[in-house]
C-alpha cells in the first residue's frame, strides 16, 4: 500500500510517499480501507516536532525523530477485514474514527473500541472532516464546559475546524453563541448559528460589557488572565489550543491556563480529543447531530491523497475556514 512516511522532523517535504506492507489487524482491531481523511494542527505539530518544549515533556513529542512516522488522525472508509475477536463490524461496513496516527495511508488498523459507523447521510469526505475537530468541540462544551441550555457561550476562533463545530454544537445544545473570528468569516459564523460575531481585527472581545457562562478558547489570541475577564464569576474557561510557535506555543498558552486555574474563581480546564476515554461514544452522539443536520461539516478545500504535503502546508498558514479534507 501507499503511505506518506516521515522519518525526520521538518516542513511538509519530509513526508515521502512510500510503498509499505498492508498492516494485519490484531484480534481486537479492524483493517480499514481509507477513503478520505482530513488535516489537523496535530499533524503539522508532529511533522515539525514543534513546539520544541513538547520534546522535553513526558507523553509529548519524541526528542530527535518522529515517534509517529505515518501521520493522519481523521479517517473515513470501509472495513476490509476484522480481527477474530471483533463482533460489531464486518467487511464492507462504512466507518470513521479519530486515531493517534496512521491515517495518511491507504489502509490502517483501528481498535474496534475506537471505531464508529459512518453517518449515513455524509460522504466519506464529509465524515472525515468530523472526528478530531468535532470531538474536541464536544469535549470542550459538554465535558469540560458543562454547557447548559440558555447559557451564553463565547467561542474564540469560531471559523476554524474546531470552531465551526463548536458554534453549531453549542446552538444544538441550547446555548446562545458569540463567535470571534476575522472579518472575512463573519458571515460564515453567523450562518452556523452565532447570535453575535466579533471581528477581532476591529474589536477587542475582552473589552465587551457582556459576560459569559462559558468561554471556549481555540485561538488563544489573548492571555488567559485577560480573556477570563469575559466570564461571569462562576463561569468556565476551556482551552483548546493557542497561538503557533516554534519553541513554546501553543503549549505555553495551555500551561499558563492551568497555572491561572490554581488562583482563579472560575473553572479553567483543557480539552484534548486524543485523551478522550470514550471517542466511539462521542462519535455516535455526533452522528445523531449530523444525521438530522443540526450540525454540518464545513469544508474549505479538498486535496487528493498525493497532495497531502500541500494540504498540510495550506493548513499551517492558519487561514482555513472549516476543514481541509483529503480524498483517496
Amino acid at each position: 500500500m501507499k503511505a506518506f512516511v516521515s522519518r525526520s522532523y521538518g516542513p511538509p517535504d519530509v513526508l515521502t510517499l512510500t510503498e509499505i506492507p498492508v498492516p494485519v489487524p490484531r484480534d481486537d482491531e479492524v483493517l480499514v480501507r481509507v477513503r478520505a481523511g482530513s488535516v489537523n494542527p496535530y499533524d503539522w505539530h508532529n511533522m515539525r516536532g514543534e513546539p520544541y518544549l513538547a520534546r522535553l515533556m513526558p507523553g509529548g513529542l519524541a526528542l530527535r525523530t518522529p515517534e509517529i512516522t505515518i501521520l493522519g488522525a481523521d479517517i473515513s472508509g470501509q472495513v476490509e477485514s476484522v480481527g477474530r475477536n471483533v463482533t460489531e463490524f464486518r467487511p464492507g461496513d462504512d466507518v470513521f474514527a479519530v486515531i493517534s496516527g496512521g491515517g495518511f495511508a491507504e489502509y490502517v488498523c483501528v481498535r474496534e473500541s475506537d471505531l464508529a459507523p459512518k453517518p449515513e447521510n455524509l460522504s466519506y469526505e464529509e465524515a472525515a472532516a468530523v472526528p478530531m475537530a468535532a470531538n474536541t468541540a464536544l469535549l470542550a462544551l459538554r465535558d469540560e464546559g458543562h454547557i447548559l441550555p440558555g447559557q451564553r457561550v463565547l467561542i474564540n476562533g469560531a471559523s476554524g475546524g474546531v470552531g465551526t463545530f463548536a458554534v453549531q454544537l453549542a446552538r444544538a445544545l441550547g446555548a446562545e453563541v458569540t463567535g470571534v473570528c476575522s472579518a472575512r468569516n463573519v458571515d460564515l459564523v453567523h450562518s452556523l448559528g452565532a447570535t453575535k460575531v466579533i471581528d477581532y481585527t476591529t474589536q477587542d472581545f475582552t473589552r465587551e460589557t457582556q459576560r459569559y457562562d462559558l468561554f471556549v478558547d481555540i485561538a488563544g489570541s489573548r492571555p488567559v488572565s485577560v480573556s477570563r475577564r469575559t466570564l461571569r464569576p462562576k463561569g468556565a474557561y476551556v482551552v483548546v489550543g493557542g497561538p503557533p510557535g516554534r519553541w513554546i506555543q501553543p503549549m505555553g498558552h495551555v500551561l499558563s491556563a492551568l497555572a491561572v486555574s490554581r488562583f482563579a474563581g472560575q473553572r479553567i480546564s483543557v480539552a484534548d480529543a486524543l485523551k478522550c476515554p470514550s471517542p466511539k461514544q462521542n462519535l455516535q452522539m455526533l452522528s445523531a447531530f449530523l444525521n438530522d443536520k443540526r450540525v454540518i461539516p464545513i469544508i474549505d478545500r479538498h486535496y487528493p491523497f498525493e497532495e497531502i504535503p500541500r494540504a498540510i502546508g495550506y493548513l499551517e498558514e492558519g487561514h482555513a475556514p472549516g476543514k481541509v479534507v483529503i480524498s483517496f
Side-chain angles (χ1 to χ4, degrees), residues 19 28 34 56 58 61 84 105 115-116 122 172 174 195 200 227 236 272 320:
E19 193 74 31
D28 63 344
V34 182
L56 304 176
L61 301 168
R84 63 180 181 179
L115 203 60
L122 298 189
T195 303
Y200 69 78
S227 292
D272 185 347

Side-chain angles (χ1 to χ4, degrees), residues 26-161:
R26 297 175 180 172
D27 291 348
D28 63 344
E29 290 183 334
V30 173
L31 178 64
V32 178
R33 171 67 169 96
V34 182
R35 299 296 185 185
S38 75
V39 182
N40 295 282
Y42 171 81
D43 297 310
W44 61 261
H45 282 301
N46 278 277
M47 177 188 73
R48 290 189 177 270
E50 296 174 358
Y52 297 141
L53 176 63
R55 302 193 198 186
L56 304 176
M57 300 185 68
L61 301 168
L63 183 60
R64 296 184 181 278
T65 57
E67 191 171 283
I68 301 174
T69 56
I70 301 176
L71 301 171
D74 287 334
I75 63 160
S76 173
Q78 290 178 305
V79 173
E80 184 77 11
S81 63
V82 302
R84 63 180 181 179
N85 293 337
V86 173
T87 59
E88 186 176 346
F89 300 101
R90 63 184 65 184
D93 287 349
D94 289 331
V95 293
F96 72 146
V98 56
I99 55 181
S100 59
F104 292 162
E106 293 179 312
Y107 293 89
V108 65
C109 289
V110 183
R111 290 180 300 180
E112 181 183 27
S113 59
D114 292 338
L115 203 60
K118 180 180 76 66
E120 294 180 359
N121 67 321
L122 298 189
S123 67
Y124 290 120
E125 287 78 12
E126 290 169 331
V130 172
M132 176 169 276
N135 193 20
T136 301
L138 181 62
L139 290 171
L141 293 166
R142 184 196 63 188
D143 297 37
E144 301 296 339
H146 302 170
I147 190 171
L148 294 172
Q151 287 187 330
R152 287 192 170 99
V153 178
L154 177 65
I155 298 172
N156 183 25
S159 62

Side-chain angles (χ1 to χ4, degrees), residues 57-305:
M57 300 185 68
L61 301 168
L63 183 60
R64 296 184 181 278
T65 57
E67 191 171 283
I68 301 174
T69 56
I70 301 176
L71 301 171
D74 287 334
I75 63 160
S76 173
Q78 290 178 305
V79 173
E80 184 77 11
S81 63
V82 302
R84 63 180 181 179
N85 293 337
V86 173
T87 59
E88 186 176 346
F89 300 101
R90 63 184 65 184
D93 287 349
D94 289 331
V95 293
F96 72 146
V98 56
I99 55 181
S100 59
F104 292 162
E106 293 179 312
Y107 293 89
V108 65
C109 289
V110 183
R111 290 180 300 180
E112 181 183 27
S113 59
D114 292 338
L115 203 60
K118 180 180 76 66
E120 294 180 359
N121 67 321
L122 298 189
S123 67
Y124 290 120
E125 287 78 12
E126 290 169 331
V130 172
M132 176 169 276
N135 193 20
T136 301
L138 181 62
L139 290 171
L141 293 166
R142 184 196 63 188
D143 297 37
E144 301 296 339
H146 302 170
I147 190 171
L148 294 172
Q151 287 187 330
R152 287 192 170 99
V153 178
L154 177 65
I155 298 172
N156 183 25
S159 62
V162 176
T164 51
F165 282 114
V167 171
Q168 296 178 82
L169 284 168
R171 286 287 295 137
L173 294 169
E176 179 183 304
V177 180
T178 295
V180 180
C181 64
S182 65
R184 71 190 186 101
N185 293 318
V186 166
D187 290 344
L188 168 64
V189 175
H190 265 308
S191 73
L192 298 177
T195 303
K196 179 180 178 181
V197 183
I198 298 172
D199 170 13
Y200 69 78
T201 65
T202 59
Q203 296 173 266
D204 183 350
F205 66 87
T206 66
R207 295 183 180 276
E208 294 284 308
T209 57
Q210 177 67 62
R211 293 294 175 261
Y212 298 90
D213 302 288
L214 171 59
F215 180 11
V216 178
D217 191 7
I218 303 164
S221 54
R222 299 301 303 274
V224 178
S225 58
V226 175
S227 292
R228 72 184 187 89
R229 296 174 191 167
T230 64
L231 289 172
R232 290 175 172 169
K234 297 297 183 181
Y237 181 100
V238 182
V239 180
V240 173
R246 298 185 64 186
W247 292 91
I248 299 175
Q249 299 292 10
M251 286 191 66
H253 187 70
V254 174
L255 293 173
S256 68
L258 295 176
V260 171
S261 69
R262 297 174 177 269
F263 310 102
Q266 296 105 340
R267 182 163 39 86
I268 300 177
S269 60
V270 177
D272 185 347
L274 290 176
K275 294 181 180 178
C276 172
S278 54
K280 180 173 188 167
Q281 288 77 9
N282 285 354
L283 290 176
Q284 290 171 332
M285 179 180 179
L286 289 165
S287 291
F289 288 114
L290 292 158
N291 279 324
D292 66 14
K293 297 185 179 180
R294 283 179 290 172
V295 174
I296 59 172
I298 304 301
I299 297 175
D300 175 34
R301 291 190 182 183
H302 293 79
Y303 286 85
F305 173 70

